[in-house]
Amino acid sequence: MSLEIHDHCGVFGILTREDDVAKLTYYALYALQHRGQESAGIAVSDGRETMMLKDMGMVSQVFSERDLLNLRGYMAIGHVRYSTTGSSFWENSQPIHVNGPRGSVYVAHNGNLVNTDELREELREQGVRFHTTSDTEVIALLLARHPAEDIEEAVREVMPRLSGAYSLAILTETKLIGLRDPHGIRPLCVGRYRDGFAVSSESCGLDIIGAEYIREIEPGEMAVIDHTGLRFERFSEVRRPSLCIFEFIYFARPDSVMYDTYLYHARKHMGMSLADEAPVDADVVMPIPDTGVPAAIGFSQASGIPFGEGLIKNRYVGRTFIQPTQAIRQLGVRLKLNPLVRDIRGKRLVVVDDSIVRGNTTKEIVKMLRDAGAREVHMRISSPPDKNPCFYGIDTATRQELIASSRSVDEIRRFIGADTLHYLSMENLVRATGRPKEEFCTACFDGEYPIPVPDEMRMAKCRLEAV
Ligand code: SF4
């Protein structure tokens, strides 16, 4: 469930001469904060030189008003990170900066490459020394060192050599480029801001600064932004559009638009389908906050069972750097969720969540609801059973840790202690998105990975599972 899946990364970029780009980027990163809370960074160019500030922590912890005033220029990129490839330390925070013969290249990356080892080895043989363990440094090095005359040519030459998921914001002294891999696994969209343009992982990053959404960058396409304006160029054929379906289920904000759909509406439809697929007699439909809310509203509307909030989320815990005492740690999920005991006592509950990962958190929640006096607990999950790990930039779990990889739905029901349990069918999940299944990566559910995952990478996960 969403309390167990860690987000990935968010990227943003902007060019405008009519406003303070560092502050605009700061606000956009605030809107994208749900995509990563471990580190944040902003790089700003004034056309001659580029300055950057990045650090561990959330956006509000990393930047002060004075820091932002010192980042002067008319183009910027920003990044919020949750570690995927490479562990969590300062050097791996982004943007990543590399100098080359054409000047500086700064890269902000959302996704994960599956051929990093091969590319890193090749660079190592050329005598390159690495300062991070991240695949983003490999991309930045390949772009900065490429002998092409300009950055666009370097993109055309380098991107076909990358395999995996990458949505990038690239900044040089004079250009800002946003691009998506040929499968479009991670999102990236473009908007207009006053005299300039912006790129953002999600449309909510454009909304917060008042930019006007133009469209998604297509798979295999780059949006080049400079003093002449915005132009789109394809650097690769679309290989089979494969947007991560988890963006629709949980990752992205409900007020973001993907494939021309508000994710809020898609999630509500998932809840309506859940009510059709697995109706139940109950007194209240209750979401696991926050991500279960739209699906719970949909379930309530389709079933006629009243919607009610029974669990209140402590929004800021987990964002503290102060280690909890042992006694506090033992509170487990109660640190994050607090039940409205008087509203729960004696009630038959339908509890709606977006997914179950390991199952331990769901088990704790069911127990907490029973301890609060719930008469029945019926779990409804707005996605199919999550059986396979992600190699494209999401830190879910190893296969062995995923409870649905080895247990039947009824075994999971018994494990979590619910009276009934139902997962949304793949058919109705896809229907709720309004697009065909062929336009998504659904590997978490069916193991159909759109980009081949090298055996070494799969085996590395197995070795992880064995330790
Ligand atoms: Fe998304 Fe799962 Fe595909 Fe990863 S494997 S991109 S989390 S659907």
Side-chain angles (χ1 to χ4, degrees):
M1 55 104 64
S2 56
L3 296 176
E4 289 182 290
I5 299 178
H6 299 293
D7 299 358
H8 31 141
C9 295
V11 304
F12 181 81
I14 189 161
L15 179 154
T16 176
R17 292 180 187 272
E18 290 186 15
D19 211 338
D20 180 336
V21 289
K23 279 198 177 169
L24 292 170
T25 306
Y26 173 85
Y27 274 96
L29 293 184
Y30 232 110
L32 297 172
Q33 185 77 84
H34 59 288
R35 297 183 75 88
Q37 292 101 41
E38 286 194 357
S39 68
I42 297 176
V44 175
S45 169
D46 64 4
R48 291 183 305 279
E49 56 182 37
T50 307
M51 285 173 289
M52 177 166 70
L53 177 63
K54 59 180 183 176
D55 210 340
M56 305 305 288
M58 302 202 4
V59 179
S60 59
Q61 294 165 314
V62 170
F63 303 101
S64 68
E65 180 98 31
R66 183 181 296 177
D67 294 333
L68 295 172
L69 286 174
N70 288 332
L71 291 172
R72 296 217 183 107
Y74 69 95
M75 289 194 299
I77 61 170
H79 189 264
V80 286
R81 176 170 194 264
Y82 183 87
S83 64
T84 46
T85 294
S87 53
S88 173
F89 52 85
W90 187 89
E91 286 77 7
N92 280 343
S93 58
Q94 297 190 26
I96 296 267
H97 169 219
V98 174
N99 269 325
R102 285 185 315 273
S104 296
V105 175
Y106 290 76
V107 178
H109 174 203
N110 174 201
N112 195 39
L113 300 187
V114 296
N115 65 338
T116 316
D117 289 351
E118 185 188 313
L119 297 169
R120 191 180 278 127
E121 195 45 46
E122 185 188 307
L123 286 164
R124 199 171 276 133
E125 279 168 13
Q126 294 168 16
V128 174
R129 286 182 53 218
F130 296 90
H131 302 282
T132 80
T133 55
S134 106
D135 53 353
T136 313
E137 185 182 21
V138 173
I139 301 175
L141 279 162
L142 289 170
L143 287 171
R145 288 168 55 84
H146 197 280
E149 274 191 10
D150 60 28
I151 185 69
E152 288 149 86
E153 184 58 26
V155 165
R156 280 180 220 117
E157 294 289 325
V158 168
M159 292 304 124
R161 306 197 54 217
L162 310 183
S163 181
Y166 53 91
S167 280
L168 306 177
I170 302 167
L171 183 70
T172 68
E173 273 80 20
T174 53
K175 279 191 178 124
L176 164 65
I177 296 181
L179 62 87
R180 285 173 84 196
D181 68 72
H183 292 270
I185 293 200
R186 299 281 151 235
L188 194 65
C189 61
V190 187
R192 182 187 303 278
Y193 183 82
R194 297 194 179 181
D195 63 330
F197 297 93
V199 297
S200 176
S201 289
E202 295 180 33
S203 57
C204 66
L206 301 176
D207 295 339
I208 196 169
I209 58 166
E212 179 198 342
Y213 175 87
I214 297 176
R215 69 166 171 87
E216 286 167 13
I217 296 177
E218 288 179 11
E221 185 182 54
M222 61 173 148
V224 183
I225 300 169
D226 60 17
H227 70 282
T228 64
L230 161 71
R231 62 189 178 280
F232 293 98
E233 183 189 324
R234 196 157 271 301
F235 62 85
S236 159
E237 289 307 306
V238 181
R239 297 219 183 102
R240 180 207 146 192
S242 309
L243 177 63
C244 170
I245 202 159
F246 255 113
E247 297 281 356
F248 266 74
I249 298 164
Y250 149 66
F251 293 149
R253 267 175 45 166
D255 52 336
S256 285
V257 173
M258 287 183 194
Y259 281 158
D260 276 336
T261 302
Y262 264 128
L263 302 187
Y264 176 84
H265 294 304
R267 289 172 194 172
K268 213 168 116 186
H269 272 110
M270 291 170 203
M272 292 172 125
S273 296
L274 267 178
D276 287 345
E277 285 184 6
V280 60
D281 263 346
D283 304 307
V284 184
V285 179
M286 180 183 289
I288 302 292
D290 296 324
T291 52
V293 172
I297 290 172
F299 194 108
S300 167
Q301 285 183 1
S303 64
I305 302 169
F307 174 90
E309 296 208 52
L311 293 165
I312 303 301
K313 187 173 177 181
N314 183 346
R315 287 170 209 279
Y316 300 103
V317 84
R319 312 258 163 111
T320 168
F321 286 97
I322 308 296
Q323 289 298 312
T325 65
Q326 184 59 18
I328 291 177
R329 196 175 290 120
Q330 277 171 355
L331 287 174
V333 76
R334 281 200 78 124
L335 258 176
K336 294 180 181 165
L337 299 174
N338 204 22
L340 294 174
V341 176
R342 290 180 211 171
D343 292 10
I344 289 170
R345 195 176 296 137
K347 299 272 172 52
R348 297 168 302 164
L349 309 176
V350 176
V351 181
V352 181
D353 200 359
D354 48 69
S355 55
I356 298 178
V357 181
R358 294 171 181 81
N360 296 321
T361 309
T362 312
K363 182 179 181 158
E364 277 189 67
I365 289 171
V366 173
K367 180 173 183 308
M368 188 164 70
L369 294 170
R370 292 210 190 274
D371 289 347
R375 191 142 59 94
E376 293 172 13
V377 179
H378 303 276
M379 284 302 302
R380 297 292 179 269
I381 307 298
S382 61
S383 62
D386 185 357
K387 297 180 176 178
N388 304 292
C390 178
F391 298 93
Y392 309 140
I394 304 299
D395 181 25
T396 49
T398 61
R399 191 186 310 274
Q400 204 172 41
E401 288 168 333
L402 292 166
I403 190 166
S405 72
S406 58
R407 299 194 199 206
S408 67
V409 173
D410 197 52
E411 284 169 338
I412 298 170
R413 180 194 65 75
R414 272 184 271 143
F415 176 79
I416 63 175
D419 293 280
T420 65
L421 165 67
H422 181 79
Y423 288 89
L424 185 63
S425 65
M426 177 73 90
E427 190 189 346
N428 276 329
L429 168 64
V430 170
R431 186 169 295 148
T433 68
R435 302 294 273 241
K437 181 172 179 288
E438 292 65 40
E439 293 189 11
F440 290 99
C441 174
T442 52
C444 279
F445 309 123
D446 56 19
E448 290 174 20
Y449 292 98
I451 304 170
V453 180
D455 288 345
E456 313 84 72
M457 210 163 173
R458 288 183 196 247
M459 279 162 60
K461 280 248 176 193
C462 290
R463 280 199 296 278
L464 262 178
E465 287 167 15
V467 272

